[in-house]
Amino acid sequence: MIATHDLSKRYGSITALSRASITVPEGTIYGFLGPNGAGKTTAIRLLMGFLKPSSGRATMFGHDCWRDGLAARRNVGFLVTADALYPDMTGTAQLDYATRLSERPPVLRQRLRDALELSEAALSRRLGTYSKGMRQKLALIAAMQHDPALVILDEPTDGLDPLIQRNFEEFLLGLRDAGRTIFMSSHDLAEVERTCELVAVVRAGVIVAEERIAELRERHASRVSVQFQDAVPDSLDQIPGVAIESLDGLRVELMLKGDPNPLVQYLALHPVVDLTINRASLEEIFMAYYEPASPEAVGVPV
Amino acid sequence: MKLAATLLMTRRTLKRSLSGTIFLMVGLFIFEFVQPLVADSLGGGAGVAAMIERLPPTFQSILKTQPEFVALSGLPGYLSLGFSHPIYYVLTTAALAALICRSLAGELDSGTMQLALSRPVSRWSVYLSRLLAVLATILIITLVTFAGMVIGIAAAKPEGTLDYVNILPTAAGAALLLAAIAGVALAISAYSDTTSQAVGWTTGFVVVSFVIDYLASVWSVMKPLDPISIYAYFDPGQGLINGALALTDVVVLGIVALAGVGVGAAVFLERDLPS
């Protein structure tokens, strides 16, 4: 659905995106992660044909995003920034304008309005009177109301309250189940964890990881907390995949990577009072890519 | 390129500038409407010539006229002053520059252009929509200008006669001057990242061009530079008095207009959108 091959964007001596190669399969929700200035928005703007690549290429539906942008964008819904809406238009007029430019009926408008709780009264007002959250809701409806096969969202839930955010996530999952593809960047890792199957992590313009969240988790260490009844066994750190993080009396904090069975079998031989195993969260994995001082904590490949 | 989308964006562009354009057009209409009334109140061509004679030569140059010209040419000569007056230039240029800078550089700046460019709409279609809005505005300015003058003549019935056929070449010259300004403004706007940048450069171009033309008329040292001013190729007096429109004026203003539109298109089609 989306493919980039060595896609780069340079501004003079500054490289905003360097040789990015990603593939977004059809029918998935793909998360694009990175802090501010990492290159997420640059990548999205290259996909939309707003920027000309310095080298490499990006395609959507097999069409080059720069040279054949019209065909590439034919079945795409893109979330413009909330500030990029016409302040002199009413909400309804803005949506109708977007519909006419898309040349497709707004079949999802009502469902989106319900999910985002944007009332008819609000839509009859000029956008100049909208709050940031309301503008974001309207921009989301404008992006998706025509039921595009591919939706590209840059920080989609920015400015939405948590309840609406959950409604919107449900909506995205429904779209995915209906075969649509969603490519989204987000700062909200919990949101990405709830919605995305695949993620790419970008750091300083370079894609440092691209894989399924489940596989990403498997490759990274889980946090294990064990409280022994009598004494901490000496040979604990000799179990394959186990590293001791801290020791506090009879409580030991471990990092476990890979197969948990050797640890479980070992613990079965030693009386344990309390045991908790927490799989690495996306946030921990994500932070590991940005904290090179402690990559081994979650098993980041270096 | 889809014509329906282009026309939709053209309407949007015109609508966004509607209030400002109406305001300026009312001002322009009134300015041209009162010219025949003023001519009549001053006692026709001879009275106006006497008034102009009392002005210092530098002021006469601003109006691009001399008392004997008005005395000899009568009503058409006086009316032509309404098209070389700084107020006329300010009102017409403001209407055009505001439309162009706001709809091209302004929408690049605010990001509103992304709404169209994220749809199956080509950059050429977006550019063409602005160009059509500009052409419509030039047509409106020209119609309002000469409607004001004609209605003013009908209302004041000043001394002297105007051959109404001569309005056509004069209007064509005025429209070409506006087209040249618009072409340059389009090129500047297509290149600019912000509205203020576009407005600044466009204003600079118009002011410098006007000043060169003015200085060339009062200072012989500047005379060789006059051909680089677009105002050197607009002579409303020749149009209204003789019904003439110099081929050189048509060619130069036409080339400036087309070159500006072409450069603007080339820049806009290839440029990065500002973030």
Side-chain angles (χ1 to χ4, degrees), chain B residues 127 176-187 205 209 227-231 233 248-264:
Chain B
Y127 188 77
L176 271 171
L177 176 70
L178 293 176
I181 293 171
V184 174
L186 276 167
F205 166 76
S209 200
I228 67 170
S229 167
I230 53 169
Y231 293 102
Y233 303 96
T248 312
D249 296 352
V250 174
V251 170
V252 172
L253 292 177
I255 286 174
V256 172
L258 290 175
V261 170
V263 169

XYZ file of all heavy atoms in Angstrom, chain B residues 127 176-187 205 209 227-231 233 248-264:
265
model
N -2.852 26.117 -8.975
C -2.282 27.359 -9.525
C -3.256 28.008 -10.514
O -3.472 29.219 -10.491
C -0.946 27.044 -10.205
C -0.179 28.274 -10.645
C 0.520 29.044 -9.728
C -0.167 28.662 -11.981
C 1.230 30.173 -10.122
C 0.541 29.796 -12.383
C 1.233 30.540 -11.453
O 1.919 31.663 -11.853
N -3.952 45.391 -19.032
C -2.613 44.820 -19.278
C -1.630 45.226 -18.186
O -0.794 44.427 -17.755
C -2.094 45.291 -20.638
C -2.471 44.412 -21.827
C -2.097 45.110 -23.129
C -1.772 43.056 -21.740
N -1.736 46.487 -17.737
C -0.864 46.930 -16.643
C -1.139 46.089 -15.390
O -0.203 45.627 -14.716
C -1.104 48.416 -16.340
C -0.305 48.965 -15.155
C 1.175 49.049 -15.494
C -0.818 50.351 -14.734
N -2.420 45.883 -15.110
C -2.777 45.066 -13.945
C -2.303 43.624 -14.128
O -1.844 42.982 -13.178
C -4.300 45.092 -13.729
C -4.891 46.441 -13.313
C -6.409 46.350 -13.230
C -4.324 46.880 -11.970
N -2.403 43.127 -15.354
C -1.947 41.753 -15.621
C -0.438 41.620 -15.389
O 0.039 40.607 -14.862
C -2.297 41.351 -17.050
N 0.303 42.666 -15.773
C 1.757 42.630 -15.559
C 2.073 42.616 -14.064
O 2.925 41.845 -13.600
C 2.409 43.839 -16.229
N 1.364 43.465 -13.317
C 1.570 43.476 -11.856
C 1.187 42.118 -11.271
O 1.895 41.552 -10.430
C 0.732 44.606 -11.207
C 1.270 45.969 -11.652
C 0.741 44.487 -9.687
C 0.393 47.147 -11.254
N 0.064 41.580 -11.759
C -0.396 40.279 -11.258
C 0.607 39.175 -11.575
O 0.854 38.293 -10.744
C -1.761 39.948 -11.869
N 1.180 39.223 -12.771
C 2.160 38.198 -13.144
C 3.347 38.201 -12.210
O 3.770 37.151 -11.711
N 3.850 39.400 -11.937
C 4.995 39.504 -11.019
C 4.585 39.046 -9.620
O 5.325 38.310 -8.938
C 5.533 40.959 -10.997
C 6.621 41.120 -9.943
C 6.079 41.342 -12.367
N 3.393 39.455 -9.197
C 2.924 39.068 -7.852
C 2.747 37.550 -7.753
O 3.036 36.950 -6.708
C 1.605 39.778 -7.535
N 2.284 36.919 -8.817
C 2.132 35.454 -8.811
C 3.491 34.769 -8.671
O 3.642 33.807 -7.907
C 1.444 34.990 -10.096
C -0.083 35.057 -10.113
C -0.606 34.879 -11.534
C -0.706 34.009 -9.195
N 4.473 35.275 -9.429
C 5.812 34.677 -9.353
C 6.386 34.829 -7.945
O 6.937 33.879 -7.374
C 6.732 35.332 -10.378
N 8.194 45.899 -5.597
C 8.258 45.949 -7.067
C 7.417 47.101 -7.605
O 7.861 47.883 -8.460
C 7.767 44.615 -7.654
C 7.471 44.690 -9.124
C 8.489 44.704 -10.054
C 6.155 44.764 -9.578
C 8.224 44.799 -11.418
C 5.879 44.855 -10.932
C 6.918 44.871 -11.847
N 8.956 50.514 -9.265
C 8.590 50.743 -10.652
C 7.951 52.124 -10.826
O 8.258 52.862 -11.767
C 7.615 49.638 -11.100
O 7.589 49.539 -12.483
N 12.433 52.819 -19.230
C 11.884 51.596 -19.867
C 11.794 50.382 -18.949
O 11.074 49.431 -19.255
C 12.880 51.327 -21.015
C 13.474 52.654 -21.313
C 13.574 53.351 -19.988
N 12.525 50.406 -17.823
C 12.422 49.222 -16.943
C 11.211 49.312 -16.016
O 10.909 48.365 -15.285
C 13.708 48.990 -16.109
C 13.901 50.113 -15.097
C 14.918 48.820 -17.002
C 15.013 49.801 -14.097
N 10.513 50.454 -16.053
C 9.301 50.585 -15.235
C 8.083 50.144 -16.039
O 7.917 50.542 -17.196
C 9.123 52.038 -14.795
O 7.821 52.218 -14.269
N 7.231 49.350 -15.415
C 6.020 48.923 -16.146
C 5.079 50.100 -16.401
O 4.301 50.088 -17.347
C 5.245 47.813 -15.400
C 4.950 48.217 -13.965
C 5.991 46.479 -15.464
C 3.966 47.293 -13.269
N 5.196 51.142 -15.564
C 4.305 52.287 -15.741
C 4.664 53.115 -16.979
O 3.866 53.935 -17.432
C 4.313 53.157 -14.480
C 3.700 52.435 -13.315
C 4.496 51.856 -12.337
C 2.326 52.289 -13.213
C 3.934 51.160 -11.281
C 1.749 51.594 -12.165
C 2.564 51.033 -11.198
O 1.998 50.331 -10.163
N 4.748 51.942 -19.748
C 4.027 51.320 -20.868
C 2.506 51.439 -20.707
O 1.755 50.655 -21.260
C 4.441 49.838 -20.993
C 5.930 49.704 -21.174
C 6.755 49.457 -20.081
C 6.512 49.882 -22.419
C 8.131 49.374 -20.231
C 7.882 49.804 -22.576
C 8.685 49.549 -21.485
O 10.040 49.486 -21.640
N 3.985 48.549 -28.631
C 5.087 48.307 -27.698
C 4.549 48.071 -26.286
O 5.011 47.170 -25.577
C 6.040 49.523 -27.671
O 6.327 49.885 -29.002
C 7.308 49.205 -26.912
N 3.580 48.913 -25.899
C 2.999 48.765 -24.559
C 2.347 47.392 -24.396
O 2.523 46.715 -23.373
C 1.960 49.853 -24.300
C 2.571 51.256 -24.294
O 3.820 51.336 -24.341
O 1.814 52.242 -24.242
N 1.606 46.998 -25.419
C 0.923 45.691 -25.362
C 1.951 44.567 -25.244
O 1.807 43.655 -24.414
C 0.061 45.479 -26.629
C -0.529 44.062 -26.647
C -1.058 46.507 -26.680
N 2.982 44.660 -26.064
C 3.977 43.577 -26.085
C 4.733 43.490 -24.755
O 4.858 42.416 -24.167
C 4.966 43.784 -27.266
C 6.140 42.822 -27.156
C 4.238 43.584 -28.585
N 5.210 44.649 -24.276
C 6.017 44.629 -23.041
C 5.174 44.176 -21.845
O 5.575 43.280 -21.089
C 6.642 46.022 -22.772
C 7.306 46.042 -21.394
C 7.662 46.354 -23.844
N 4.008 44.796 -21.683
C 3.170 44.417 -20.539
C 2.711 42.958 -20.668
O 2.637 42.226 -19.670
C 1.960 45.348 -20.422
C 2.281 46.797 -20.032
C 1.019 47.649 -20.019
C 2.960 46.863 -18.665
N 2.425 42.549 -21.897
C 2.018 41.155 -22.119
C 3.132 40.183 -21.770
O 2.898 39.149 -21.128
N 4.345 40.531 -22.161
C 5.483 39.643 -21.865
C 5.731 39.560 -20.356
O 5.953 38.472 -19.812
C 6.755 40.136 -22.607
C 6.628 39.808 -24.093
C 8.015 39.497 -22.022
C 7.754 40.364 -24.949
N 5.670 40.729 -19.697
C 5.874 40.729 -18.229
C 4.806 39.850 -17.563
O 5.104 39.036 -16.672
C 5.834 42.166 -17.667
C 5.846 42.147 -16.139
C 7.016 42.967 -18.187
N 3.557 40.019 -18.021
C 2.464 39.231 -17.424
C 2.674 37.737 -17.645
O 2.607 36.933 -16.708
C 1.131 39.680 -18.023
N 2.953 37.379 -18.891
C 3.100 35.948 -19.209
C 4.345 35.356 -18.546
O 4.317 34.213 -18.050
C 3.170 35.750 -20.727
C 1.855 36.019 -21.475
C 2.069 35.925 -22.977
C 0.757 35.055 -21.031
N 5.422 36.132 -18.523
C 6.646 35.638 -17.884
C 6.404 35.408 -16.392
O 6.837 34.391 -15.834
C 7.782 36.629 -18.096
N 5.710 36.361 -15.771
C 5.408 36.208 -14.336
C 4.569 34.977 -14.073
O 4.854 34.188 -13.164
N 3.530 34.801 -14.888
C 2.656 33.628 -14.719
C 3.460 32.336 -14.947
O 3.324 31.370 -14.199
C 1.465 33.703 -15.699
C 0.695 32.392 -15.722
C 0.534 34.836 -15.304
N 4.316 32.353 -15.960
C 5.110 31.162 -16.272
C 6.112 30.830 -15.186
O 6.216 29.674 -14.751
N 6.815 31.858 -14.720
C 7.790 31.627 -13.642
C 7.069 31.146 -12.378
O 7.514 30.208 -11.706
C 8.602 32.922 -13.358
C 9.417 32.788 -12.073
C 9.512 33.243 -14.531
N 5.937 31.789 -12.084
C 5.158 31.383 -10.910
C 4.746 29.926 -10.991
O 4.862 29.174 -10.016
